[in-house]
Structure formats: structure tokens, C-alpha cells
Amino acid sequence: MTHTEVKQHPSLYLEVCCQNEKTRLPLHTSIALFLLSYCDCKSFRVFLVFTKPASSQSLKRQIPESLDVSDIQLKDLPHLVRGCRLPAVLDETGMLCRAGLAVVLRHIINKTLEADPSRNDVLALLGFKKTCLKACAEVSKWTRLCEIGIPSAVEEHLRNSADQYQQLPLSILTLERRLAEPVKVHNDDKIRRQKLQEQRRNEKKSSPADSESEPGLSAQVSEGLELRTALAKLSVDSVPASTTRENSEIRKVKTTDLPPLEHVFAEGLYFTLTDVVLLPCIYEYLCSLQAHAAKTLHQLPHLLRWYSRVQEVPGVLKAAEACGMSLSVPQVPTSGLQVSSAEDEPTSLLEEEEEGQEMTTEPPFVGGPRPTMTKLKENGIEAVFTPHPCPDWTLPWDSLPGAINPTEGKMSNIRAVRKRQQLNNLVATVTELARPGYTVVDFCSGTGHVGIVLAHTLPDCQVILIENKEESLVRAQSRSAELSLKNIGFIQANLDYFTGPFHIGVALHACGVATDMVMEHCIQAGAAFVISPCCYGFIQNAIKFTFPKSKRFQETLAYKEHMILCRFADQTAVQLPPERRLIGKQCMGLVDLDRSWAAETHGYSVQVMTMEPESCSPKNNMLVGRPAQRNGLGVDS
Ligand SMILES: C[S@@+](CC[C@H](N)C(=O)[O-])C[C@H]1O[C@@H](n2cnc3c(N)ncnc32)[C@H](O)[C@@H]1O
């Protein structure tokens, strides 16, 4: 990997798009700028990336003056950044790139805190346990909605607004519905008791006649409690909303009888990163509705309430103004806001979403996998394992530098031995496929066990490690620095945001559908693959692929039957009785057979084999895919 010159600050690359000959900022760029402005973060050199010769002059109003911003052409991006979707950050070493909206935003927050650890308001954006938008979109519905669903729905609306006023986008409706749900937060029992106490005190104060004339008063008071609690968290000294002790009567009330808490912000009570992501999107969307279809606003009472509350958060208005957003609460024509009922909502859209959810939240399965396996057998489908071509091949572990050995952290000796055995299998196969000048990508690299060995053993190849979890990748980077590896690069991102060319994709224990995402990337790049899957039980239909994947399996099994195979494929742990494990292994073989047949329709020849020794892992399958000569291994790097 070529080193770019060492810079003082990491570089943040934000996309500028061109629509109808006009330059504009896509939402993910506006979101990043808004966060930088809210955090008053000056830790980055910001580059606006243009696809055509143009300048940021016309966009000046939307770019906070406090930032150090330059223009750059797409073709001039550093190599590692060019292989990723924007936004992206390249660190000072030029070897670690962070890409994708959620990862980059979380990094901006961390950098702000690094520069000023006293910023509790910024720390709070990461949410309880600091996990806000941390999980990948394919496993977290919430990340999917905020990182992808809402921004793309609003982009789509802005592109084709003329046709889109009649129907509210599905993801906007999902958010509206979510904001209407009661909130569950850590510690909510205490806040709900305070709410009850305030409600009772209020009921006592108002005479029956009064309460008849003002039926909403109690609700208003309690709603104030939620907002006060939320805003108190943002104040410098974070005082609790109320310090009044509950009386004993209130303490005795059962949790189930306590009043529910209402949403204040998107995730519940507290202002978090998701509110930051949503604000520029909802701003654009509401401006458009206000201008062209103001009556539609009636259908979004909770969203409008959220929108006005966000504006009460200290610093939000100022940050928005610096990004050219003049926030205000839209005027709803005629009778004012109503709380919509299920009947008011466009049912066809909600039903559609319900179906989508059904696919991902299946009821637990009853019964075993035998009927499914028998059905497959009757149709001539059985798990087939290709014999291992080099069962005894091993790396010279004793003579390799210490930092290559998977012994770091809390790994026990037994686990380290098994990890080395797994690595022998993958490295042997990649070494056989690799040629000088190839780019090899270690997808879902974790702390870099596979990628680091490959970079060391294949010095004529470039190796890129891709991993979503920051802590793991930073650990990989420091192991690589210990070894002074030069032919290596690191990308912290959901692997979906990697778009660069490569020749061989490798993945050791990529969880659930991450294995299918890796295969899809390899097929699109015409690259060979060496993959050992895991977490079969997490497999489920995703936006991009549905199961079963191959035609023959589809003709034989329904989705639910295939899911039975996946669930039982996870039953291979050593503690289980041997007969259960045997069935588990057969199910693993069948799920991977389906995957391999699907890849073969793209011209690949695929072998499913068992890693050696079999005991190296309960998830010991390895899929080796070679692309057809015409489209394979000819990627320009
Ligand atoms: C079981 S670990 C395996 C790590 C490493 N390959 C090893 O064998 O030590 C799976 C890793 O995949 C990462 N991961 C899962 N889905 C991902 C995705 N969509 N993009 C990037 N990383 C992902 C997880 O964060 C986790 O570190």
C-alpha cells in the first residue's frame, strides 16, 4: 500500500453530486457537515469530492465557515479511499480508511472527544453503552432505517418529487410509527414513577371541573417530564430531571401499572447520533412537503413534534444555520395536528412493511431438520464435500514473527492452536491462487489473523483488511505496525461500502449473511474466493438476497424449510451429542451447497470442503470459488 505523505489531521472526504448540471450536496454529506458543526470539530481536513470539474463556490452557504475545506476531483483520491463509498476518512498514516455514514459519524464524535474530553453533550450522542449506529445495517433494522432507509427515501423524493407527494415513503412512515411507540430506556422504571407522581400531584391540584375543561393537562405535564429529563442529560452538569423522592405509595405501584414514557427523540428519551442523521433528511423532506403538499403533514404528527423538539436542543439551531438550514416548524394547514390512528395511515404501505418484517422475525421452529433433509435427498440433493487438496500443509509457525501468531488478547492456548489450524487452511488455498501483483481482501478481518499472515507470506501482493468494528481493526493495525508491513491497508466499514477492485476475497468466519455479502462482492469483482462461513443460524432474507439462493434448492424448498437447515447448521458445538453434530454438519453442507450452486450460475467453479483437522472449529466448512477464466482474475488494480 503506498503511503501518502504524513498529514497533521486525518482527511475527511465528502461527496458532491451533480444533478441537472447543478452541483449539490447529497444528504450523507450534509449530515456529516451538520455533525462537524454541532460538535464544533476541527480535527479534520475536509475535502469535497467532485466527479466533474467544478468548484464548491456555489455550495458555500451550506459549508460551516469554521471548517478547513478544499476541493478534490474523484480521480485524485488516495487509492484506499477510491475503493470505498463516501463519506470516508483517511487517517494520518494513509493506511486506515473509515467509510460509510455511520462509521464516519461515530469517528467524528470520537475525534471531538479526543480533542475535548469534557464534551458530555457529544459523548451522549453515542447513546447508552456507546452503541448508537454501531451494528451493521444488515443485522440492525434501526441502523438500516437511519443510515440507509430514510436518507435514500428522501433523496429519491427530492429527485422525483413531482410524482411523490401522494404517497409518503415507507421509511418515513416507519419512523412516524416508531415515534408513536412508548419508550423503553435504561432506568425507565424510575422516570415512570416520577411521571406517575407528577400526574397524581397534578390531578390533586386540578378540581374535577378543571380537569373536565382541560382533558389534556395531565398528559402535557408528564410529557414535560420526559423532555426535561432528556434536556437535563444535555446540560453541562447533567442534573437529573427531578430530585423529589417518590412517596411510598408510588414506590408500591407495580411496574406494569406505571404510565408509559413517550418518545422525545428518535431513539427514546435522549438526543443521539440518530437525531443528527435524521435532522438534515427530515429538514429537506418537510421543506419539500411544506412547499408542495402541506396537507400531507397531517399524517406525520409525531415526526413534526420530534422536529420541533430537536430544535430545542442547545446548539442545534446554530449548527444548522452554519450549514444553511433555516429550521422552523412547518405550518400545518386547516385544523392543526391530529394524532393519526392506524386507519389514517396508508395501509398498503404499512402492510408491505409488515411483510418485510415477517421475513426477518420468524417464529421459532418446531421439529427437526429430518423432513427437510429427506425432501432434498428425494430430489437427489445431498451435501458433498470435496477432499482437501493439502491436508497437512502448515505455515512454519515457530519461525514466524510473534505478532503474526494468533495468541494476542485473551485467546487461550487451545484456541490459538485451533486458530492457527484454521489459518493453515485459508493461507494454503490463497497462496495457491495468488500471483504477484494481486490484491487480496480479508473481509470481516476482526483483529487481522488472516490478513496479517497473508501480507507477511505474500509480499508481492497487496492485502486489504475490512472490518466494521473499530476496536478490532485498530488492533490489527497495531499488530501490522509491529511487523512493519508495507503491503497492507485497513478499511473500517461495513463490507458493503468497499467498491475497489481485487483478485481474491477471503473471509474466516464471516457471520450469517456477511458470508453471502462477501461472495456477492467477489462475484461482482470477478475475484476468486476462499470463505469459511459461520453463524448459519443468523441467516435470513436480506435486501439483496433471498434464501434459498440456487434454482435447484428454490425448486425444492420453501424459505421456512431452508431456514430450518440454517438453524440446525449451527448445532455443531463439541458439547452436543455426536449424532446432533453430524446432522449439524450435514445441514452446514447443504446450506453451503446452495450457496455454491448459486455462485456457479455466475460461471464459478466452487468446492465445499472441510478444513483440516476437522476439530479446528465447529464451523469447519470452507468454500473455494474460482471464476471462469474469461472474467476471472483479470482485475485492473
Ligand atoms: C467471527 S468474527 C471473525 C474475525 C476474523 N476473521 C477471525 O477469524 O478472527 C466476524 C467479524 O466480522 C465482522 N463483520 C460482520 N459483518 C460485517 C460487515 N457487514 N462488514 C464488516 N465486518 C463485518 C464482525 O465485526 C466480526 O469482527
Side-chain angles (χ1 to χ4, degrees):
M1 205 63 25
T2 44
H3 288 262
T4 56
E5 85 268 34
V6 177
K7 296 178 192 116
Q8 288 226 300
H9 283 308
S11 307
L12 168 60
Y13 297 93
L14 301 174
E15 187 185 350
V16 175
C17 57
C18 195
Q19 206 175 317
N20 306 329
E21 299 301 311
K22 272 193 181 159
T23 49
R24 60 170 282 268
L25 299 183
L27 279 170
H28 53 76
T29 295
S30 308
I31 294 165
L33 289 171
F34 174 60
L35 178 65
L36 288 167
S37 173
Y38 176 77
C39 295
D40 194 19
C41 174
K42 300 195 176 65
S43 304
F44 299 93
R45 279 191 67 191
V46 180
F47 289 90
L48 292 177
V49 182
F50 289 81
T51 42
K52 289 184 181 170
S55 99
S56 54
Q57 204 55 31
S58 61
L59 304 167
K60 231 173 163 184
R61 220 175 57 83
Q62 290 153 271
I63 302 167
E65 278 176 13
S66 57
L67 297 178
D68 167 15
V69 182
S70 322
D71 296 349
I72 190 171
Q73 292 295 311
L74 187 69
K75 64 178 174 45
D76 299 326
L77 284 179
H79 182 71
L80 210 49
V81 179
R82 219 176 326 142
C84 296
R85 295 234 190 101
L86 300 182
V89 171
L90 190 64
D91 80 346
E92 301 86 332
T93 67
M95 291 173 84
L96 169 58
C97 177
R98 293 173 165 88
L101 187 62
V103 161
V104 165
L105 298 180
R106 288 178 56 86
H107 186 56
I108 292 175
I109 292 174
N110 286 329
K111 278 288 183 190
T112 308
L113 291 169
E114 209 177 283
D116 181 359
S118 72
R119 290 290 304 268
N120 284 337
D121 56 335
V122 175
L123 177 65
L125 293 178
L126 293 177
F128 183 57
K129 292 193 177 168
K130 303 189 191 162
T131 52
C132 187
L133 300 187
K134 191 173 182 187
C136 285
E138 74 274 6
V139 290
S140 158
K141 274 190 205 168
W142 185 236
T143 307
R144 198 152 64 230
L145 181 72
C146 298
E147 186 183 36
I148 304 171
I150 301 264
S152 9
V154 175
E155 289 283 9
E156 173 69 16
H157 169 89
L158 297 175
R159 261 195 307 275
N160 306 308
S161 48
D163 334 327
Q164 305 222 2
Y165 293 119
Q166 303 315 316
Q167 272 198 338
L168 297 178
L170 183 55
S171 35
I172 295 278
L173 287 171
T174 307
L175 179 62
E176 170 66 19
R177 204 170 50 173
R178 165 113 188 188
L179 291 172
E181 285 166 9
V183 163
K184 280 217 87 44
V185 286
H186 172 66
N187 213 10
D188 73 2
D189 187 85
K190 190 166 159 229
I191 307 169
R192 284 164 71 198
R193 277 178 211 282
Q194 277 178 17
K195 179 167 176 169
L196 182 64
Q197 185 154 339
E198 285 201 17
Q199 279 177 350
R200 295 224 176 133
R201 209 180 304 136
N202 186 52
E203 274 159 19
K204 263 191 216 150
K205 263 195 235 153
S206 38
S207 67
D210 284 340
S211 52
E212 255 164 48
S213 60
E214 284 184 77
L217 184 64
S218 167
Q220 277 169 24
V221 168
S222 55
E223 184 204 289
L225 174 92
E226 278 113 332
L227 188 57
R228 281 195 327 271
T229 310
L231 294 179
K233 172 120 174 165
L234 289 167
S235 74
V236 185
D237 42 1
S238 290
V239 283
S242 160
T243 47
T244 327
R245 252 178 79 75
E246 305 137 10
N247 60 33
S248 58
E249 199 188 314
I250 297 281
R251 257 179 277 145
K252 279 184 213 147
V253 177
K254 280 199 284 180
T255 310
T256 44
D257 296 336
L258 292 171
L261 296 179
E262 289 179 24
H263 266 262
V264 179
F265 295 115
E267 288 203 351
L269 279 195
Y270 305 117
F271 184 71
T272 66
L273 183 55
T274 53
D275 298 289
V276 171
V277 173
L278 294 173
L279 186 63
C281 304
I282 301 304
Y283 164 75
E284 293 281 357
Y285 184 64
L286 292 183
C287 285
S288 168
L289 283 193
Q290 168 94 72
H292 305 284
K295 280 194 174 166
T296 328
L297 292 168
H298 279 304
Q299 295 180 45
L300 301 170
H302 296 96
L303 190 67
L304 288 173
R305 201 159 59 161
W306 166 85
Y307 189 60
S308 73
R309 279 167 177 172
V310 170
Q311 298 179 35
E312 289 180 46
V313 173
V316 161
L317 285 178
K318 189 168 160 233
E321 211 172 293
C323 299
M325 292 188 272
S326 341
L327 302 184
S328 62
V329 182
Q331 295 302 308
V332 183
T334 65
S335 57
L337 287 182
Q338 310 153 348
V339 175
S340 62
S341 66
E343 293 110 68
D344 297 332
E345 286 163 342
T347 43
S348 59
L349 286 176
L350 287 178
E351 273 160 18
E352 208 178 288
E353 197 223 5
E354 226 77 77
E355 250 174 51
Q357 287 191 349
E358 222 253 307
M359 294 196 295
T360 54
T361 47
E362 287 285 313
F365 294 110
V366 183
R370 284 187 203 280
T372 311
M373 292 169 79
T374 309
K375 194 169 173 188
L376 286 169
K377 199 169 175 184
E378 283 167 4
N379 284 276
I381 303 175
E382 280 182 272
V384 191
F385 294 94
T386 308
H388 200 295
C390 48
D392 301 321
W393 193 92
T394 174
L395 279 152
W397 289 106
D398 292 339
S399 59
L400 292 177
I404 288 192
N405 256 292
T407 47
E408 42 90 24
K410 292 188 195 119
M411 195 179 276
S412 66
N413 273 348
I414 293 201
R415 275 192 63 210
V417 168
R418 290 203 192 116
K419 189 54 93 179
R420 283 200 286 269
Q421 292 168 339
Q422 296 159 27
L423 293 175
N424 287 337
N425 286 270
L426 275 82
V427 175
T429 317
V430 174
T431 306
E432 195 253 308
L433 292 165
R435 303 287 175 269
Y438 272 16
T439 297
V440 182
V441 179
D442 176 11
F443 290 98
C444 300
S445 69
T447 55
H449 295 315
V450 184
I452 286 176
V453 181
L454 287 174
H456 179 81
T457 52
L458 300 171
D460 295 332
C461 293
Q462 300 292 318
V463 179
I464 297 176
L465 276 61
I466 303 181
E467 165 60 48
N468 195 59
K469 215 183 277 165
E470 173 161 39
E471 307 83 299
S472 304
L473 201 63
V474 166
R475 173 77 195 119
Q477 197 188 19
S478 70
R479 285 176 72 193
S480 153
E482 262 181 70
L483 296 160
S484 306
L485 293 171
K486 300 280 182 280
N487 58 334
I488 196 163
F490 304 86
I491 297 178
Q492 188 209 339
N494 182 332
L495 69 91
D496 244 3
Y497 300 145
F498 174 70
T499 54
F502 63 102
H503 303 86
I504 304 173
V506 50
L508 175 55
H509 293 163
C511 331
V513 291
T515 282
D516 301 282
M517 292 163 71
V518 175
M519 287 177 80
E520 195 208 20
H521 264 60
C522 294
I523 290 169
Q524 272 180 8
F529 57 78
V530 182
I531 303 174
S532 173
C534 82
C535 305
Y536 291 77
F538 289 161
I539 293 174
Q540 58 181 9
N541 276 347
I543 302 169
K544 287 194 186 161
F545 18 71
T546 53
F547 294 88
K549 296 169 85 180
S550 68
K551 193 160 177 281
R552 271 189 76 189
F553 268 72
Q554 282 163 3
E555 285 165 357
T556 317
L557 294 186
Y559 174 64
K560 282 192 176 186
E561 290 169 313
H562 194 75
M563 288 301 104
I564 292 177
L565 291 182
C566 296
R567 300 297 177 266
F568 280 88
D570 256 355
Q571 305 218 349
T572 51
V574 276
Q575 304 88 319
L576 293 170
E579 22 350 312
R580 285 266 294 281
R581 279 161 47 200
L582 191 64
I583 292 179
K585 175 72 180 169
Q586 282 167 357
C587 290
M588 264 170 51
L590 287 165
V591 174
D592 289 335
L593 181 64
D594 172 53
R595 285 168 156 160
S596 67
W597 281 350
E600 281 174 2
T601 60
H602 296 275
Y604 275 68
S605 87
V606 185
Q607 295 169 326
V608 181
M609 57 186 84
T610 299
M611 292 197 280
E612 288 285 343
E614 226 175 289
S615 57
C616 70
S617 167
K619 297 291 167 304
N620 56 14
N621 276 9
M622 182 166 78
L623 281 79
V624 181
R626 293 172 171 82
Q629 217 53 45
R630 68 191 146 76
N631 59 3
L633 307 185
V635 187
D636 298 325
S637 43

